Each structure stands twice: as structure tokens, then as C-alpha cells.
Amino acid sequence: MIRENIKTAQENIERACQNASRDPGEVTLIAVSKTKPVSMLMEAYQYGCREFGENKVQELVEKYQIMPKDIHWHMIGHLQRNKVKYIVDKVALIHSVDSLRLAEEISKEAVKKGLTVSVLIEVNIAGETSKFGTAAEETTELVRQAALLPGIRIKGLMTIAPFVENSEKNRQYFEILRQLAVDITKKNIDNVNMNVLSMGMTGDYMVAVEEGATMVRIGTGIFGERQYLL
Ligand SMILES: *Cc1c(COP(=O)(O)O)cnc(C)c1O
């Protein structure tokens, strides 16, 4: 099942790229494996998947220790400052930097460990009160300030679009995020590039790819529905 799902997702990404005259090689599929057992991650791994996304520090660390070492781990969930130290040396990319205080903590831990940590700035593009992320209007200022910190490198922007039945409704938000990245690029801020646009999930990744996503984060569409224990 997981193999078929990955194959389908890859085909959908290719189709969306064709629609937008883009090269599918520009789009990275991240398998969002939160709440799922290592056996399922291994199935995706054996099929060739090397990019995994997790949203909880402890779960990421546990899976990191068990899974093969050639995996790129993506921290996609809200990150508390006191947990930064556990993951800076394990993740390929932190997608969820939404405050200067968090950026400062990542910088501090990176310097301590002699690392340069790649990060994205998370933007709350639809202004939903339930979501983390910096406001669109404040993004450029956050990028400017975070870019001055040692040990971190800003690679782009991330957003979680609203949950909608019709993915077309999110096209506007993906377009705004891409435009924001273009505007920031034009400012030529040292230590910043905007090559990565992490946007699109199971319900809307094709629209996101048509609007310029370079990373899509697919959970349910690969591993099936998640069961949360209450
Ligand atoms: C869970 C999660 C996803 C994947 O969601 P699906 O709808 O299952 O594809 C993507 N991004 C973030 C930040 C998530 O927390």
C-alpha cells in the first residue's frame, strides 16, 4: 500500500509539474511519518524514500536512532526552544521557525556543536489564529534579523494552508507565499536564499506544486489516516 501511495504521489507531482511547465526534479516529496511505526517508515525507505517529516522532537529522535543513517529528517512541527538541543545535529531542515527567539536558540545550539543548521521561516499565510507561524507582514523583518545569527542558514519559507475540501481555495495562499519569497529575494539579504518553498499536504499538494512548491509534505496520502490516542 505504501509503495503504491508513494508512486501515485510522485505521478501526481509530475502531472502538476507538467501543468505548470516545471521540472519534477525541482520538487522534493517529504513522507510525513508522524504517529506511524518504524515498520511503515522502513517500507517507504525500501521503496527509495529518504526524506521523512516529523512534528514531535521525541518521536523524531527515536526514529532517527532506529532508522538508516542516510535519511534526511525534516522537523515540520512547532518547536519549543528547550527541545532545540536534541535535534539540531539530526535534522536536514527545520521548517517551523516562527520567531526570533526560536532562531536565536537554534543559532546558539548550532554554534555550540559547530554546525550550520538550515531553516525555513514558517508563515501563517491565511492568518488563522489556530496556527503557528509569523504574520506575512512580519516575515521580511524576521528574515532580516534571523539572517544575522551565526550557525543558521535561511533557505526559504514554509506554510500550512487552511484545511479545505476544495484545494483550489488554497491556491491564493500558495501564490502569496511564493510572491513573498520573490519579494524577499529581491532584497538581497546576506545569508538568505529563498530557494525552498515548503507548501502542500495530502489535500492540496498538486495545487501547491502548480504554484511553485519545491517541497511537499504528505502524510495521510502515503501512510493512511493517523490514529491519535487520547
Ligand atoms: C501532519 C502534517 C503534514 C501532513 O499532513 P497530511 O494531511 O496527512 O498530508 C504536513 N505538514 C505538517 C506541518 C504537518 O504537521
Side-chain angles (χ1 to χ4, degrees), residues 32 34 55 76-77 158 160 201-203 217-221 226:
V32 176
K34 63 193 188 195
N55 69 338
I76 61 173
M158 177 273 227
I160 304 173
M201 306 174 24
T202 297
R217 310 177 306 266
I218 305 181
T220 318
R226 287 178 290 274

Side-chain angles (χ1 to χ4, degrees), residues 30-34 53-55 75-78 95-96 122 158-160 163 198 200-205 216-226 228:
I30 299 173
V32 176
S33 47
K34 63 193 188 195
E54 289 285 338
N55 69 338
M75 177 60 196
I76 61 173
H78 182 63
H95 292 230
S96 45
E122 180 175 354
M158 177 273 227
T159 198
I160 304 173
F163 181 77
S198 169
M201 306 174 24
T202 297
D204 56 18
Y205 67 91
V216 293
R217 310 177 306 266
I218 305 181
T220 318
I222 292 177
F223 297 107
E225 293 293 334
R226 287 178 290 274
Y228 288 99

Side-chain angles (χ1 to χ4, degrees), residues 4-48:
E4 286 76 23
N5 290 345
I6 295 175
K7 188 159 176 282
T8 303
Q10 284 167 339
E11 287 165 0
N12 287 339
I13 290 168
E14 279 169 28
R15 187 138 23 94
C17 283
Q18 274 168 15
N19 296 343
S21 305
R22 296 185 61 199
D23 172 3
E26 293 172 6
V27 183
T28 301
L29 168 59
I30 299 173
V32 176
S33 47
K34 63 193 188 195
T35 78
K36 298 297 178 183
V38 165
S39 58
M40 291 180 87
L41 278 69
M42 273 313 293
E43 193 176 335
Y45 179 87
Q46 274 152 5
Y47 189 64

Side-chain angles (χ1 to χ4, degrees), residues 100 140-149:
L100 187 60
T140 307
E141 193 49 35
L142 176 55
V143 168
R144 273 193 198 288
Q145 293 180 12
L148 299 172
L149 300 169

Side-chain angles (χ1 to χ4, degrees), residues 10-11 22 24 30 51 66 71 76 88 96 112 117 119 156:
Q10 284 167 339
E11 287 165 0
R22 296 185 61 199
I30 299 173
E51 314 288 328
I66 300 169
I71 288 172
I76 61 173
V88 281
S96 45
K112 213 189 270 180
V117 178
V119 305

